[in-house]
Amino acid sequence: AQVHSVEQWLKTKVFSVGTMGADNKLRQYAVCLVNLGLHSVEMIQDLCSQEDVDSFDWMELDHKKVFVDCAGLQQEEQAQVHSVEQWLKTKVFSVGTMGADNKLRQYAVCLVNLGLHSVEMIQDLCSQEDVDSFDWMELDHKKVFVDCAGLQQEEQAQVHSVE
């Protein structure tokens, strides 16, 4: 019954016929979700994140994007990640420095997961010491991040060194 309910939701609310086509694929996805302990639509929407979906090796890549966009997963967290990711792309890291958008997305997810839900929170609460502890950020990116993110502590340290 749980698999059937999740499968019906996938068919009618998440994937349109044009997007998917193959009912057996949706049944497979429903079985996998239930096997993960996500026994209802509500559990999927409440407990499943973008990061989780990215780890679903049993879901086709193009279906992952549709699933994240249409399943109603933690929309607030997605908006926070998107906002931080856009800031990283446009204000902190230049294309020449980074190149890989998926790396910036990973950084945005990590920052939001740390409770830094906005650019303002990152700038106000994140210190050089915090950045040094980010084992998920590449060493050369840490330097760029500290230099370009406009962290409050960095600005305060500069003010104190001038006085």
Side-chain angles (χ1 to χ4, degrees), residues 8-108:
Q8 288 307 111
W9 170 72
L10 289 172
K11 284 180 183 176
T12 59
K13 303 291 186 198
V14 180
F15 295 103
S16 67
V17 175
T19 310
M20 290 290 295
D23 282 351
N24 61 343
K25 184 66 74 176
L26 294 181
R27 175 129 185 105
Q28 175 193 343
Y29 292 170
V31 168
C32 290
L33 289 163
V34 169
N35 287 341
L36 286 172
L38 301 167
H39 300 255
S40 68
V41 172
E42 293 77 19
M43 286 182 79
I44 294 167
Q45 291 174 325
D46 290 346
L47 301 175
C48 194
S49 69
Q50 163 86 45
E51 195 171 73
D52 296 323
V53 176
D54 288 343
S55 74
F56 294 165
D57 57 0
W58 41 264
M59 187 177 283
E60 293 180 20
L61 191 58
D62 54 331
H63 296 168
K64 288 180 184 183
K65 178 162 178 24
V66 173
F67 186 79
V68 167
D69 291 346
C70 302
L73 310 180
Q74 304 173 1
Q75 295 300 328
E76 184 178 341
E77 181 183 324
Q78 286 181 33
Q80 293 166 346
V81 168
H82 179 74
S83 170
V84 170
E85 180 183 14
Q86 290 309 308
W87 171 71
L88 289 172
K89 284 181 184 176
T90 59
K91 304 290 186 201
V92 180
F93 295 103
S94 67
V95 175
T97 310
M98 291 292 293
D101 282 351
N102 60 344
K103 183 65 73 175
L104 293 181
R105 174 114 186 126
Q106 177 190 343
Y107 291 170

